[in-house]
Structure formats: structure tokens, C-alpha cells
Amino acid sequence: ETGVTQSPTHLIKTRGQQVTLRCSSQSGHNTVSWYQQALGQGPQFIFQYYREEENGRGNFPPRFSGLQFPNYSSELNVNALELDDSALYLCASSLPSESFEQYFGPGTRLTVT
Amino acid sequence: RKEVEQDPGPFNVPEGATVAFNCTYSNSASQSFFWYRQDCRKEPKLLMSVYSSGNEDGRFTAQLNRASQYISLLIRDSKLSDSATYLCVVNLPTGTASKLTFGTGTRLQVTL
């Protein structure tokens, strides 16, 4: 196990609602990245947090936002949910080292109806 | 053109076979390269990093050709437990961030 935890494991929401997903990083890892994985696709980078600041963002609209806390845990917030937001949301933690190896949590499966 | 391209498969091979996966990436500024393994409805798990000199971990061998922007993974003596999706992953630093870009994955099914 990587030591990265995510909650909840599954979630069902309706269109237009808002959702918050949570992630606790591996001990000592100060960088957290969020990814969205649609069925049959590879994970897509949403954004990364380092020392409580957004440190890079993928091609996702502003209704996807996040936070990182002093203990390096993180939240992903999605407003105005759309059907296409249904996916597996993965959190990965890492150290800002040259190797950039990232370790993933088990994910939160979000279904938007 | 996709940033990371892989053959989606599936590759169906008998136990004991050798199987090779290939991957190409489009951005020559990419700095780090990985293979991840993902089981059905689970999270991706780091299988191995890939270096220009090539690296081996037991039955798994990874190669990187920066000139051709090509990455490969060779699995020897396939086991049933190797059945999974193999994701080719490239790190493209953007400022101080490390953005992993994933291919769509190649599905491997090892059979008796």
C-alpha cells in the first residue's frame, strides 16, 4: 500500500450539485496531485498542490478547485456537476524530487446522474 | 496528436510468453518516464521508472529512446497475475510542478 488515502470511496450526485473529495498524502510527501480518469481512458491531470499553493493546472475549468492544508492533506471541489464529471478521481502524493515518482490513492468513484 | 500514445490492445498471450508494449511521446522536453500498472477498477501503481540506459526488474525490462521519443516495456515469462492494464507515463515539468501525462493504457490478458 502507498499510504495515500482518499474519501469517500464512492459517491452519487445529481447534475448541478457540488462535491468535495478528500486525500491524505503519504507520510513526508508535501506535493499532492489530482487526476480524473474516465472509463477506458488514462488519468488526466487536474492540478497539483505544493506547500498549500496551486502549483500547476491541467485543462480543467475553474469549477474544479482545490486546497492543500498544512498537514499536506488536500481537497478537490467540483461545482455545478455535469454528467461528464462521472469518473474515478485519483489523488497522488510525491516529493518534489528529480524522479517525480507519484503514488496514488485508491480513488473516489463519482457518478453524476 | 496525443501527448502519449499506446496501442490499446488487448494483448492476449499464453502463460510463459514474452510480450512487449510500445509507447511514443510527443514533447521532447519530457524529463521522466514511467510504466504504471492498473488492475480493473483500482488505482495505478508504479511498476518502474524508465532510464535511457535501460533498466530491469526481474521479468520486466524497460527501455527509453529519447531520440525517437519511444518507450518500451518487455515482460518475460508472463504470469496470470500480470493481467492488467499497463500505462505509459511521461513527466513534463511545468515550472516547479510535475505533471504526469498518461497514455490510454495497453490491456494485457494472460491465459492458461
PDB file of all heavy atoms in Angstrom, chain A residues 63-79:
ATOM      1  N   ARG A  63     -14.454  25.555 -12.307  1.00  0.00           N
ATOM      2  CA  ARG A  63     -15.334  24.937 -11.317  1.00  0.00           C
ATOM      3  C   ARG A  63     -14.663  23.756 -10.616  1.00  0.00           C
ATOM      4  O   ARG A  63     -15.188  23.234  -9.641  1.00  0.00           O
ATOM      5  CB  ARG A  63     -16.662  24.530 -11.970  1.00  0.00           C
ATOM      6  CG  ARG A  63     -16.554  23.547 -13.082  1.00  0.00           C
ATOM      7  CD  ARG A  63     -17.903  23.375 -13.820  1.00  0.00           C
ATOM      8  NE  ARG A  63     -17.776  22.337 -14.830  1.00  0.00           N
ATOM      9  CZ  ARG A  63     -17.931  21.059 -14.564  1.00  0.00           C
ATOM     10  NH1 ARG A  63     -18.230  20.669 -13.329  1.00  0.00           N
ATOM     11  NH2 ARG A  63     -17.779  20.172 -15.516  1.00  0.00           N
ATOM     12  N   PHE A  64     -13.503  23.359 -11.121  1.00  0.00           N
ATOM     13  CA  PHE A  64     -12.645  22.405 -10.407  1.00  0.00           C
ATOM     14  C   PHE A  64     -11.641  23.229  -9.588  1.00  0.00           C
ATOM     15  O   PHE A  64     -10.832  23.983 -10.157  1.00  0.00           O
ATOM     16  CB  PHE A  64     -11.889  21.501 -11.380  1.00  0.00           C
ATOM     17  CG  PHE A  64     -12.723  20.448 -12.031  1.00  0.00           C
ATOM     18  CD1 PHE A  64     -13.564  20.759 -13.088  1.00  0.00           C
ATOM     19  CD2 PHE A  64     -12.663  19.127 -11.601  1.00  0.00           C
ATOM     20  CE1 PHE A  64     -14.338  19.786 -13.695  1.00  0.00           C
ATOM     21  CE2 PHE A  64     -13.434  18.138 -12.210  1.00  0.00           C
ATOM     22  CZ  PHE A  64     -14.276  18.473 -13.255  1.00  0.00           C
ATOM     23  N   SER A  65     -11.709  23.103  -8.284  1.00  0.00           N
ATOM     24  CA  SER A  65     -10.793  23.857  -7.430  1.00  0.00           C
ATOM     25  C   SER A  65     -10.291  22.955  -6.312  1.00  0.00           C
ATOM     26  O   SER A  65     -10.836  21.880  -6.084  1.00  0.00           O
ATOM     27  CB  SER A  65     -11.493  25.086  -6.842  1.00  0.00           C
ATOM     28  OG  SER A  65     -12.565  24.688  -6.007  1.00  0.00           O
ATOM     29  N   GLY A  66      -9.255  23.435  -5.639  1.00  0.00           N
ATOM     30  CA  GLY A  66      -8.685  22.590  -4.607  1.00  0.00           C
ATOM     31  C   GLY A  66      -8.089  23.380  -3.472  1.00  0.00           C
ATOM     32  O   GLY A  66      -8.039  24.622  -3.489  1.00  0.00           O
ATOM     33  N   LEU A  67      -7.662  22.622  -2.480  1.00  0.00           N
ATOM     34  CA  LEU A  67      -6.994  23.184  -1.312  1.00  0.00           C
ATOM     35  C   LEU A  67      -5.950  22.199  -0.849  1.00  0.00           C
ATOM     36  O   LEU A  67      -6.120  20.987  -1.010  1.00  0.00           O
ATOM     37  CB  LEU A  67      -7.988  23.379  -0.164  1.00  0.00           C
ATOM     38  CG  LEU A  67      -8.955  24.552  -0.193  1.00  0.00           C
ATOM     39  CD1 LEU A  67      -9.932  24.400   0.977  1.00  0.00           C
ATOM     40  CD2 LEU A  67      -8.215  25.866  -0.110  1.00  0.00           C
ATOM     41  N   GLN A  68      -4.891  22.717  -0.233  1.00  0.00           N
ATOM     42  CA  GLN A  68      -3.985  21.845   0.495  1.00  0.00           C
ATOM     43  C   GLN A  68      -3.814  22.444   1.894  1.00  0.00           C
ATOM     44  O   GLN A  68      -3.701  23.663   2.045  1.00  0.00           O
ATOM     45  CB  GLN A  68      -2.629  21.716  -0.192  1.00  0.00           C
ATOM     46  CG  GLN A  68      -1.736  20.677   0.494  1.00  0.00           C
ATOM     47  CD  GLN A  68      -0.388  20.514  -0.176  1.00  0.00           C
ATOM     48  OE1 GLN A  68       0.155  21.459  -0.741  1.00  0.00           O
ATOM     49  NE2 GLN A  68       0.159  19.311  -0.127  1.00  0.00           N
ATOM     50  N   PHE A  69      -3.764  21.582   2.869  1.00  0.00           N
ATOM     51  CA  PHE A  69      -3.696  22.014   4.263  1.00  0.00           C
ATOM     52  C   PHE A  69      -2.268  21.885   4.791  1.00  0.00           C
ATOM     53  O   PHE A  69      -1.429  21.210   4.179  1.00  0.00           O
ATOM     54  CB  PHE A  69      -4.681  21.190   5.091  1.00  0.00           C
ATOM     55  CG  PHE A  69      -6.095  21.337   4.607  1.00  0.00           C
ATOM     56  CD1 PHE A  69      -6.669  20.387   3.778  1.00  0.00           C
ATOM     57  CD2 PHE A  69      -6.850  22.455   4.948  1.00  0.00           C
ATOM     58  CE1 PHE A  69      -7.962  20.538   3.310  1.00  0.00           C
ATOM     59  CE2 PHE A  69      -8.151  22.606   4.487  1.00  0.00           C
ATOM     60  CZ  PHE A  69      -8.705  21.648   3.656  1.00  0.00           C
ATOM     61  N   PRO A  70      -1.976  22.506   5.942  1.00  0.00           N
ATOM     62  CA  PRO A  70      -0.609  22.449   6.486  1.00  0.00           C
ATOM     63  C   PRO A  70      -0.090  21.036   6.710  1.00  0.00           C
ATOM     64  O   PRO A  70       1.123  20.806   6.681  1.00  0.00           O
ATOM     65  CB  PRO A  70      -0.724  23.216   7.810  1.00  0.00           C
ATOM     66  CG  PRO A  70      -1.843  24.176   7.579  1.00  0.00           C
ATOM     67  CD  PRO A  70      -2.831  23.434   6.707  1.00  0.00           C
ATOM     68  N   ASN A  71      -0.981  20.075   6.922  1.00  0.00           N
ATOM     69  CA  ASN A  71      -0.522  18.679   7.093  1.00  0.00           C
ATOM     70  C   ASN A  71      -0.389  17.973   5.742  1.00  0.00           C
ATOM     71  O   ASN A  71      -0.196  16.755   5.706  1.00  0.00           O
ATOM     72  CB  ASN A  71      -1.476  17.911   8.016  1.00  0.00           C
ATOM     73  CG  ASN A  71      -2.848  17.722   7.410  1.00  0.00           C
ATOM     74  OD1 ASN A  71      -3.157  18.263   6.340  1.00  0.00           O
ATOM     75  ND2 ASN A  71      -3.689  16.968   8.079  1.00  0.00           N
ATOM     76  N   TYR A  72      -0.488  18.711   4.659  1.00  0.00           N
ATOM     77  CA  TYR A  72      -0.332  18.254   3.274  1.00  0.00           C
ATOM     78  C   TYR A  72      -1.536  17.496   2.738  1.00  0.00           C
ATOM     79  O   TYR A  72      -1.537  17.118   1.564  1.00  0.00           O
ATOM     80  CB  TYR A  72       0.938  17.429   3.065  1.00  0.00           C
ATOM     81  CG  TYR A  72       2.190  18.126   3.513  1.00  0.00           C
ATOM     82  CD1 TYR A  72       3.169  17.450   4.247  1.00  0.00           C
ATOM     83  CD2 TYR A  72       2.406  19.471   3.234  1.00  0.00           C
ATOM     84  CE1 TYR A  72       4.318  18.100   4.671  1.00  0.00           C
ATOM     85  CE2 TYR A  72       3.556  20.125   3.652  1.00  0.00           C
ATOM     86  CZ  TYR A  72       4.505  19.425   4.378  1.00  0.00           C
ATOM     87  OH  TYR A  72       5.642  20.067   4.798  1.00  0.00           O
ATOM     88  N   SER A  73      -2.565  17.276   3.555  1.00  0.00           N
ATOM     89  CA  SER A  73      -3.773  16.679   3.003  1.00  0.00           C
ATOM     90  C   SER A  73      -4.422  17.671   2.042  1.00  0.00           C
ATOM     91  O   SER A  73      -4.074  18.865   2.030  1.00  0.00           O
ATOM     92  CB  SER A  73      -4.747  16.277   4.113  1.00  0.00           C
ATOM     93  OG  SER A  73      -5.224  17.434   4.786  1.00  0.00           O
ATOM     94  N   SER A  74      -5.348  17.179   1.236  1.00  0.00           N
ATOM     95  CA  SER A  74      -5.872  18.025   0.164  1.00  0.00           C
ATOM     96  C   SER A  74      -7.344  17.742  -0.089  1.00  0.00           C
ATOM     97  O   SER A  74      -7.846  16.658   0.251  1.00  0.00           O
ATOM     98  CB  SER A  74      -5.069  17.775  -1.115  1.00  0.00           C
ATOM     99  OG  SER A  74      -5.557  18.535  -2.213  1.00  0.00           O
ATOM    100  N   GLU A  75      -8.018  18.705  -0.668  1.00  0.00           N
ATOM    101  CA  GLU A  75      -9.398  18.553  -1.112  1.00  0.00           C
ATOM    102  C   GLU A  75      -9.514  18.949  -2.576  1.00  0.00           C
ATOM    103  O   GLU A  75      -8.808  19.852  -3.040  1.00  0.00           O
ATOM    104  CB  GLU A  75     -10.336  19.478  -0.312  1.00  0.00           C
ATOM    105  CG  GLU A  75     -10.601  19.064   1.092  1.00  0.00           C
ATOM    106  CD  GLU A  75     -11.570  20.013   1.788  1.00  0.00           C
ATOM    107  OE1 GLU A  75     -11.951  21.047   1.212  1.00  0.00           O
ATOM    108  OE2 GLU A  75     -11.936  19.682   2.934  1.00  0.00           O
ATOM    109  N   LEU A  76     -10.410  18.248  -3.262  1.00  0.00           N
ATOM    110  CA  LEU A  76     -10.813  18.635  -4.613  1.00  0.00           C
ATOM    111  C   LEU A  76     -12.279  18.991  -4.547  1.00  0.00           C
ATOM    112  O   LEU A  76     -13.083  18.195  -4.044  1.00  0.00           O
ATOM    113  CB  LEU A  76     -10.587  17.464  -5.584  1.00  0.00           C
ATOM    114  CG  LEU A  76     -11.283  17.537  -6.938  1.00  0.00           C
ATOM    115  CD1 LEU A  76     -10.748  18.694  -7.762  1.00  0.00           C
ATOM    116  CD2 LEU A  76     -11.109  16.226  -7.704  1.00  0.00           C
ATOM    117  N   ASN A  77     -12.628  20.173  -5.013  1.00  0.00           N
ATOM    118  CA  ASN A  77     -14.012  20.618  -5.055  1.00  0.00           C
ATOM    119  C   ASN A  77     -14.449  20.767  -6.503  1.00  0.00           C
ATOM    120  O   ASN A  77     -13.708  21.328  -7.319  1.00  0.00           O
ATOM    121  CB  ASN A  77     -14.151  21.973  -4.345  1.00  0.00           C
ATOM    122  CG  ASN A  77     -13.756  21.897  -2.890  1.00  0.00           C
ATOM    123  OD1 ASN A  77     -14.447  21.292  -2.084  1.00  0.00           O
ATOM    124  ND2 ASN A  77     -12.617  22.477  -2.548  1.00  0.00           N
ATOM    125  N   VAL A  78     -15.626  20.269  -6.783  1.00  0.00           N
ATOM    126  CA  VAL A  78     -16.195  20.440  -8.118  1.00  0.00           C
ATOM    127  C   VAL A  78     -17.583  21.049  -7.962  1.00  0.00           C
ATOM    128  O   VAL A  78     -18.437  20.482  -7.271  1.00  0.00           O
ATOM    129  CB  VAL A  78     -16.290  19.121  -8.903  1.00  0.00           C
ATOM    130  CG1 VAL A  78     -16.711  19.391 -10.345  1.00  0.00           C
ATOM    131  CG2 VAL A  78     -14.969  18.368  -8.866  1.00  0.00           C
ATOM    132  N   ASN A  79     -17.787  22.203  -8.563  1.00  0.00           N
ATOM    133  CA  ASN A  79     -19.089  22.879  -8.524  1.00  0.00           C
ATOM    134  C   ASN A  79     -19.883  22.581  -9.787  1.00  0.00           C
ATOM    135  O   ASN A  79     -19.318  22.185 -10.820  1.00  0.00           O
ATOM    136  CB  ASN A  79     -18.876  24.396  -8.416  1.00  0.00           C
ATOM    137  CG  ASN A  79     -18.259  24.794  -7.100  1.00  0.00           C
ATOM    138  OD1 ASN A  79     -18.583  24.220  -6.059  1.00  0.00           O
ATOM    139  ND2 ASN A  79     -17.350  25.744  -7.142  1.00  0.00           N
TER     140      ASN A  79
END
